[in-house]
Amino acid sequence: MSKAAQIVKVRTSDGIDFDVSLQVAEQIGLIQSWLQQERNENNLPSCDDTDDGNIIFLDRVTSGIFELVLKWCRQLIEVPMPMLGWKHNDDKNNLFQTILNQENADDSTMFELIIAADFLNIESLLHAGTNYVAGLIATCNSVEAIRKRFHVVVHGDFEEE
């Protein structure tokens, strides 16, 4: 992290580097923990961008999914929840759906985003994502409808009673 620029360097599993503002990075629990550990050890990273020791590696998140994570975090910064009166999770759920719609995301991307939210420890994103999926499931009127909606294929000796 460059102290002057307040930037955290992040590298995704597909080798793409991101410069993330400290304000955004502190919303990501995994990065926040790393920064706190570095501060506690008085071992703040130097400004030398060529040193891989100053890069946070996200071995379970691809660049495409990380861009969606950053979009979520930036949106929460731009429009603070208390100012909007975000008393219900509906606003977060709507934001989650808006991000998916803007990216024309499919179910696979949606699930990857939820898994990334869990790995990165972003509770608001994880909660909105799981609520969104629960809403999709609630619109299905049978197990078969759920299977069809999420393209679940049953193999083997499994039989319904």
Side-chain angles (χ1 to χ4, degrees):
M1 177 181 76
S2 167
K3 202 168 188 176
Q6 299 294 298
I7 296 293
V8 176
K9 304 257 327 152
V10 177
R11 182 171 296 153
T12 57
S13 63
D14 50 353
I16 306 299
D17 289 348
F18 289 84
D19 290 332
V20 180
S21 74
L22 185 59
Q23 187 179 20
V24 170
E26 286 181 338
Q27 293 185 55
I28 302 171
L30 182 74
I31 295 175
Q32 187 179 37
S33 296
W34 182 84
L35 291 171
Q36 186 63 41
Q37 180 180 356
E38 292 296 313
R39 288 179 186 132
N40 288 343
E41 294 174 0
N42 291 326
N43 186 22
L44 291 176
S46 68
C47 297
D48 181 10
D49 291 339
T50 61
D51 181 9
D52 278 353
N54 296 333
I55 298 175
I56 299 171
F57 293 95
L58 303 179
D59 61 344
R60 297 182 189 174
V61 182
T62 63
S63 58
I65 296 300
F66 192 62
E67 287 174 359
L68 296 178
V69 167
L70 293 176
K71 184 178 268 194
W72 172 268
C73 293
R74 288 182 187 123
Q75 185 66 35
L76 292 183
I77 290 171
E78 290 174 10
V79 186
M81 286 180 261
M83 293 181 70
L84 287 178
W86 289 29
K87 296 177 184 172
H88 304 287
N89 290 321
D90 292 343
D91 294 318
K92 290 180 186 177
N93 295 346
N94 290 339
L95 175 59
F96 186 84
Q97 184 175 2
T98 299
I99 289 172
L100 292 178
N101 290 343
Q102 288 172 346
E103 299 298 319
N104 294 321
D106 58 8
D107 286 348
S108 176
T109 302
M110 173 184 61
F111 286 120
E112 285 182 54
L113 183 56
I114 293 169
I115 291 168
D118 184 43
F119 173 71
L120 296 170
N121 193 18
I122 307 172
E123 289 186 38
S124 61
L125 179 56
L126 179 61
H127 194 258
T130 54
N131 278 344
Y132 182 77
V133 171
L136 293 176
I137 292 171
T139 63
C140 299
N141 56 6
S142 68
V143 172
E144 188 56 38
I146 293 170
R147 289 182 184 150
K148 185 175 180 180
R149 168 64 185 85
F150 293 105
H151 312 287
V152 176
V153 178
V154 179
H155 297 284
D157 294 335
F158 180 78
E159 292 184 26
E160 294 183 14
E161 295 181 20

